[in-house]
Amino acid sequence: MDINFNKNEDHNKLLVSELQKRLAKVCLGGGKSRIEKHKSKGKMTARERIDYLLDNNAKSIEIGAFAGEDMYKEHGGCPSGGVVIKIGYVKGKQCIVVANDATVKAGAWFPITGKKNLRAQEIAIENKLPIIYLVDSAGVYLPMQDEIFPDKEHFGRIFRNNAIMSSMGITQIAAVMGSCVAGGAYLPIMSDEALIVDKTGSIFLAGSYLVKAAIGESIDNETLGGATTHCEISGVTDYKAKDDKDALDKIKTIVDKIGDYDKAGFNRIDAKKPTNNPEDVFGILPKSRADQYDMYEIIKRLVDNSEYEEYKAGYGQTIITCYARIDGWAVGIIANQRKLVKTTGSKTKPTEMQFGGVIYNDSADKATRFIANCNQKKIPLVFLQDVTGFMVGSKSEHSGIIKDGAKMVNAVSNSVVPKFTVIIGNSYGAGNYAMCGKAYDPRLIFAWPSAELAVMSGNSAAKVLLQIEKASLEKQGETFTKEKENELYKKIKDRYDNQASPYYAAARIWTDAIINPLDTRTWISMGIEAANHAPIEKPFNLGVLQV
């Protein structure tokens, strides 16, 4: 191993260590004192409920753990968006579980809470996965009601999705394990089956104080909307549970009897571990996002037996396209090659050097054709992003880079096989789009701690914005000293670098998670397994495309 490998390894392992520290903090929700208060009521925490419900020793992945990080500081914060979401297995069946965290503002819904819940439902709808709601929420966070209540992608969309999923035959089970008030009362009752925990669970459109204020009736919350009321008088709920564990056990018995699902039929054989050590990725991936490296070496650490079959190996070399298997599943990989590439010259096209991480005309053309082939053969697509964008300049423009880029974006947009996106390094500008960014509906999109998401790098953005600012000030007759230039450059770059951080993206659910690179195979495998629940219902069609 060379000295650069060791330096890279130290740097990337420190990033993973930082990730683990941040996750540990997130797992505390509203903090230790609120957890103790919550448990003093005889209730399990959101994470304890999910852990008890999911099968022991089975794999699971968490969606949106960093949702809301460093947001809503003026409101005391909203760790994990006040809700915990995991994809895992209940009685051997893959499900998605959504649990309100009542230690965070009594489980109230912030804007990011709504976005995160909608993401969970989107995953359930796309993959036809059973979804389980563990409800313990005070409803909309009133100080921010205008940002969560009325719009299309706000709180009401949850109940619309309940109805849509019901019509699609997607199993929905809800357990009321705490407060379930106002509009939130519709969520469990629009599910297929609803449970309620005696004495701690309650459902009503208006609590006792509001009832007293509105109509003058004096009544306690338990009589108004407790378990006995809804299981024996109103018939709103289907099962009464004596405590949290009893409710979760009942859910297990319900899930255990769900019939098998129609499969999409993605190809899978017995899984093989990579023969190249996956931990090598820490040394291969450079410390600087500007440095070159060989993406083939990353691929060898992700795929079964470290084997792949490359498509158009000698053409469009700044994008790698290859067939492989991940945990036994057949996949088509589209990856940005980060090495400087030397093209083979000819009489009509001289030899040239192409920059790694940049999409050229030929690489866009190759990727478009490969996407079409994978759709033809019903092979899921995996995008490994480390892209700085499309090539610019007169040569590329005259060669029709916009047209070739549009073809690739078209193919990504119209792909009907499931897509999975791993942001390894840079994810800049239109490169993010062409390599299946969040706007292009990947079934799962997740980042390594080394990722950066932005229109361009902080360095490039700072230089551009600095020139604009400098020109503006000089027009006003102000003197622009070198000291002032350096100060402004640093201010712009620091702000831009913060916004390019993978944690900034994860907080806003632009990605589903930040993960340890060693967990990449698990995420892709569980993602394809989820997608296999949903047969492809429409043919691949590129529309009007100038091939």
Side-chain angles (χ1 to χ4, degrees), residues 179-230:
S179 295
C180 186
V181 63
Y186 289 105
L187 185 148
I189 310 313
M190 293 187 74
S191 299
D192 300 329
E193 295 184 85
L195 306 84
I196 185 167
V197 178
D198 195 22
K199 299 296 184 283
T200 57
S202 59
I203 311 173
F204 32 65
L205 293 181
S208 56
Y209 291 131
L210 185 54
V211 167
K212 176 70 173 177
I215 64 172
E217 181 184 2
S218 296
I219 189 169
D220 64 89
N221 282 338
E222 182 65 24
T223 306
L224 182 66
T228 299
T229 295
H230 286 311

Side-chain angles (χ1 to χ4, degrees), residues 201 337 392 523:
Q337 172 59 299
V392 297
W523 272 74

Side-chain angles (χ1 to χ4, degrees), residues 2 27 32 42 104 115 131 153 191 206 222 283 331 366 387 407 410 413 415 447 485 495:
D2 62 25
C27 287
K32 291 181 180 179
V104 179
K115 186 173 184 179
I131 185 167
E153 299 300 329
S191 299
E222 182 65 24
V331 296
K366 177 172 78 170
V387 58
K407 290 177 187 177
N410 189 322
S413 303
S415 176
E485 182 176 328
R495 185 181 73 243

